[in-house]
Amino acid sequence: MSTSSRRRLDADPPLLFPDYRATRTRAPKLPLVPFEHTLSELTGPVYGHERIGQGDHDLTQQFEGEPLGERIVLHGRVVDDDGRPVPDTLVELWQANSAGRYRHVVDRHPAPLDPNFAGAGRAVTDSDGRYRFITIKPGAYPWRNHDNAWRAAHIHLSLFGLAFTQRLVTQMYFPGDPLFFQDPIFNSVPDRDARELMIARFDLEQTVPEWALAYEFDIVLRGRDATPFEE
Ligand SMILES: [Fe+2]
């Protein structure tokens, strides 16, 4: 994996997108200064496989009881621009619970926390670049960016490559969400086709009868169909 110029950077959202209010103060005002990476940054181990627990990909089994909400399977492949699988990639996920609440101190949304849902999981892609999570469909949540602002339901995803410096972060959305039009984070990705690449596909084939719906979300690291990533 590489975050270098081989990625189609025009698909990614700009650092300053005034409708997304926090970027007005957060975006750097001066040109970025590139730093050479040190050898240990590039060659040091990212993580040990032994630290990925067997149940880390299943967010419905991390506590004694099951979390409330709509159980879903989220799966897909991490691929290169030619569709080549990217194996052994750490995929981390974090999200709000079904009521739209994060288990995080700064989340003040007056929606209930779920004692059986932490909202974080991780998986490693297999030799075919595949990952699979079992989780709960997150709820929309308000976020005070503008009057009556709501985030479209989304799941945050992070990918690590072969070194800590190779990290990509994106958000996955659900098809047909009525909140897309007023969500400036979704719309900060300038290109309409690129925005579509952040929307998972409902996958009837991978649904589990009597148990869970499924969504497929392929993550493309570069090229024409590259998934938009946060810089
Ligand atoms: Fe979020």
Side-chain angles (χ1 to χ4, degrees):
M1 190 192 304
S2 166
T3 54
S4 71
S5 56
R6 292 174 67 191
R7 279 192 34 71
R8 189 193 63 163
L9 293 174
D10 62 342
D12 297 338
L15 294 169
L16 174 63
F17 188 72
D19 285 354
Y20 178 5
R21 216 168 56 185
T23 69
R24 294 181 204 168
T25 46
R26 190 171 68 199
K29 294 191 167 53
L30 298 171
L32 301 183
V33 180
F35 276 92
E36 286 295 317
H37 294 308
T38 64
L39 195 62
S40 60
E41 279 177 324
L42 294 173
T43 58
V46 174
Y47 60 93
H49 281 86
E50 72 281 0
R51 280 185 277 144
I52 304 283
Q54 275 211 322
D56 283 6
H57 72 288
D58 187 346
L59 285 78
T60 70
Q61 298 292 326
Q62 295 175 344
F63 297 89
E64 229 162 82
E66 278 206 80
L68 295 173
E70 184 185 336
R71 192 190 293 119
I72 60 170
V73 173
L74 171 64
H75 75 102
R77 295 177 76 214
V78 179
V79 295
D80 221 324
D81 46 354
D82 299 324
R84 278 183 313 236
V86 182
D88 300 319
T89 293
L90 177 66
V91 182
E92 294 175 302
L93 163 164
W94 65 100
Q95 63 167 95
N97 68 19
S98 62
R101 177 87 188 261
Y102 285 97
R103 188 183 280 212
H104 193 282
V105 285
V106 303
D107 190 342
R108 300 276 183 239
H109 179 29
L113 283 168
D114 187 333
N116 293 312
F117 192 71
R122 53 190 193 159
V124 176
T125 58
D126 68 11
S127 58
D128 201 26
R130 290 186 191 282
Y131 70 88
R132 185 172 186 269
F133 288 103
I134 299 163
T135 185
I136 295 293
K137 192 173 180 183
Y141 59 81
W143 66 303
R144 296 180 183 172
N145 180 74
H146 53 276
D147 191 36
N148 197 19
W150 292 78
R151 292 295 330 274
H154 60 277
I155 291 178
H156 297 266
L157 291 159
S158 156
L159 278 71
F160 273 113
L162 299 174
F164 265 127
T165 53
Q166 297 175 325
R167 189 185 187 202
L168 295 171
V169 178
T170 191
Q171 296 185 28
M172 182 228 97
Y173 297 86
F174 292 86
D177 195 310
L179 292 168
F180 287 146
F181 79 96
Q182 61 84 66
D183 185 339
I185 293 186
F186 177 74
N187 290 299
S188 67
V189 171
D191 182 66
R192 176 198 289 248
D193 292 343
R195 289 198 292 273
E196 294 289 321
L197 296 170
M198 298 186 294
I199 303 174
R201 183 182 75 84
F202 172 64
D203 185 355
L204 184 64
E205 226 166 83
Q206 288 295 317
T207 59
V208 182
E210 317 293 325
W211 195 72
L213 296 181
Y215 293 88
E216 182 182 37
F217 186 62
D218 287 343
I219 299 167
V220 184
L221 299 186
R222 44 182 173 244
R224 199 172 53 93
D225 296 324
T227 308
F229 294 102
E230 299 164 15
E231 290 300 307

